[in-house]
DNA sequence: GTGAAAGCGCTAACAC
DNA sequence: GTGTTAGCGCTTTCAC
């Protein structure tokens, strides 16, 4: 084990050829006569030579590396995104570099700018308001965003949150729930869409949801939000949480308060994180196709890197996953649910 | 938005100074006369100049970046490690670059070698056998490992798996279980230690665990392993799983097979992932201090980068977390648990 | 205080 | 096929 690693010049000298020959050889850019190739290869093995990617990147201008900034690595929704993005990156011979901005939200921009300098392009999940991401355009690098941006022409991917929450609300209505609460997460981009979806659906029945806010998009946030909602004057019979993590925390806290779930209250979330399935009661949720979001974002970025710049915003379809945390409300007629599918289309005033 | 980003030379020209002055200014390596500093700053703002970290790294030889290779980003155990490592990195002004090797296990070495070239040092969680990590020494970079390596002097961190599984086995014995199965994950480094811990504890009672293997360290692995164990001729009354994910899957599958948990069988895992708490029944597990492992690994690496090279292996203490998935076996006397600490050593030849 | 010049390790014209 | 040369954008002696 040598102290300092050898350079291309060392190899060239050892093999008795020029650096160009070595460079071309290691990049498979050209074939050489068998004796030369043999000598070069021998020298490389001998010296344990490894090409320095930094030096290479400086000239070629590309790092074969893509940056991904996520909001919270502890949230399985984001790890699924990473999984999808990573798989595609690997397939295209890119390395994914991940940054978790949760620990330093104030420095989100700084962190991402620093990341952008070391990679060919970045995929960003951000909490910043849509109108204040101008700086991303000044990165001089391709950027893909999670969530549509109406102010700037940045390619993006997202799942239809409005539709997702509309579906969830409809499901709860169909089950006979009438007093529905929404526990949101105000810092998120998606929160407003989800509120709108719920309210639009309830409005069709002349109803309205009570809107609360969890201070964190985590189980702890849900736990903390629970008591004031469940023990307050307007106890809901169903609760839609901003995400599965909040829902899981809410469930735990509600049980600790003595409620039976789902008999006393139905709970649902968004994301379809893997662990909702193992919770008790198993969590009803909306699958937002996290992994696919990651895949598509990466595909878009790789396309942008290749010069293509056609697609702007890809909208994925949400899928309702009904489990045990939502149940037919006692007193609701059995026919109501069955007729729902037919009933919806003829209703009037469905609009976003 | 300019097409190409400006260089230090552009700034120097615009400010009417030399590149040296600009370089020193941006690195805060030296103060200059107020008018010069003002002009340089103005030029930087004007041109939107950002120093190219690649070019900088080429000269300084450091990237202020640390690589972390984990086995599976979908496993909350690893994301907790990342969380801890990331926090420490940020505090020390380092950026963490993450690589998930799960998607391409065959290329683990290649991936890590590539990563190592772009960072100042790497923290590695590996599935490779201890004796075949010689190549890590030839990276010419500081390396920190998860799990002790007896063959090479590489700094490492780990939680005492032997003790952890011994504790779990003891807990189950105390609850009156006598037929205990271990569902392992043969590909893991830690698996043998865990088997040994369980067997050593049981051996003290003249017992022995049946050892099985889940093919994957995931809920799916646990689900698949369940039926042959629970419906086979030697149905255990308690099952220790290699990790919480396998345990969660096992629980789900066992219920699907019609078993009542924990009445029919107690289940326990390792890691104390956040979602075990929300499962039904809530999962008994051993907290391996994942986040702290990440913190310590990063601390060790930063120390190594600073030239310190004192500590070799840090062993963290496991902590048993008893929840509802393990319960007193019907028929076990109530006094047994309380007196267990004293009673066990003197028992002789208890066998199934 | 400020600047000129020499590279870091590599690739990319362009010769021969 | 193989080699020469000129940099990529930056830091760093070492002069002035």
């Amino acid at each position: 084990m040598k102290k300092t690693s050898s350079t291309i010049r060392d190899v060239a000298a050892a093999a008795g050829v020029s650096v160009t020959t070595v460079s071309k050889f290691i990049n498979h850019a050209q074939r050489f006569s068998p004796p030369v190739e043999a000598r070069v290869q021998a020298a490389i093995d001998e010296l344990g030579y490894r090409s320095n990617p930094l030096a290479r990147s400086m000239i070629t201008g590309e790092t074969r590396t893509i940056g991904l900034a996520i909001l919270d690595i502890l949230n399985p929704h984001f790890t699924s995104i990473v999984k999808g993005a990573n798989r595609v990156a690997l397939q295209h011979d890119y390395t994914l570099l991940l940054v978790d901005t949760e620990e330093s939200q104030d420095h989100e921009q700084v962190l991402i700018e620093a990341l952008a300098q070391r990679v060919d392009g970045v995929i960003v999940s951000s909490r910043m308001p849509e109108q204040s991401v101008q700086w991303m355009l000044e990165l001089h690098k391709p950027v893909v965003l999670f969530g549509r941006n109406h102010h700037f022409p940045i390619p993006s991917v997202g799942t239809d949150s409005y539709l997702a929450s509309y579906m969830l609300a409809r499901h709860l209505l169909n089950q006979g729930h009438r007093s529905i609460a929404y526990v949101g997460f105000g810092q998120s981009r998606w929160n407003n869409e989800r509120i709108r979806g719920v309210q639009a659906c309830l409005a069709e029945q002349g109803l309205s949801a009570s809107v609360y806010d969890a201070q964190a998009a985590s189980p702890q946030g849900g736990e903390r939000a629970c008591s004031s909602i469940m023990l307050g004057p307007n106890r809901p019979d169903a609760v839609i949480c901003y995400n599965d993590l909040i829902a899981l925390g809410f469930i735990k806290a509600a049980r600790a308060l003595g409620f039976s779930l789902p008999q006393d209250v139905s709970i649902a979330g968004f994301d379809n994180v893997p662990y909702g399935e193992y919770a008790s009661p198993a969590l009803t949720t909306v699958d937002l196709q996290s992994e696919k979001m990651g895949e598509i974002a990466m595909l878009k970025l790789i396309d942008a890197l290749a010069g293509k710049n056609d697609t702007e915003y890809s909208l994925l379809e949400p899928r309702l996953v009904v489990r045990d945390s939502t149940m037919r409300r006692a007193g609701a007629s059995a026919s109501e649910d069955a007729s729902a599918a037919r009933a919806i289309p003829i209703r009037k005033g469905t609009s976003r």
Side-chain angles (χ1 to χ4, degrees), chain A residues 13-41:
Chain A
V17 298
S18 76
V19 289
T20 309
T21 302
V22 180
S23 172
K24 294 211 171 125
F25 177 78
I26 57 178
N27 291 314
H28 309 104
Q30 189 183 313
R31 299 304 307 248
F32 297 88
S33 59
V36 169
E37 297 206 344
R39 262 153 52 212
V40 173
Q41 186 59 58

Side-chain angles (χ1 to χ4, degrees), chain A residues 222-224 226-227 230-231 247-261 264-265 267 280-281:
Chain A
E223 283 182 43
R224 278 196 295 268
C226 183
S227 59
M230 292 301 291
L231 301 179
L248 252 19
F250 197 99
I251 287 175
K252 182 188 172 201
R255 290 193 142 172
L257 293 174
F259 292 99
S260 308
L261 271 59
D264 292 337
V265 60
I267 312 280
S280 167

Side-chain angles (χ1 to χ4, degrees), chain A residues 202-238:
Chain A
L202 295 195
E204 293 173 14
Q205 309 287 324
L207 298 172
S208 165
S210 322
V211 175
Y212 300 88
D213 197 81
Q215 300 299 313
S218 62
Q220 291 71 38
E223 283 182 43
R224 278 196 295 268
C226 183
S227 59
S228 67
I229 296 170
M230 292 301 291
L231 301 179
N234 300 309
R235 175 153 78 84
D237 51 29

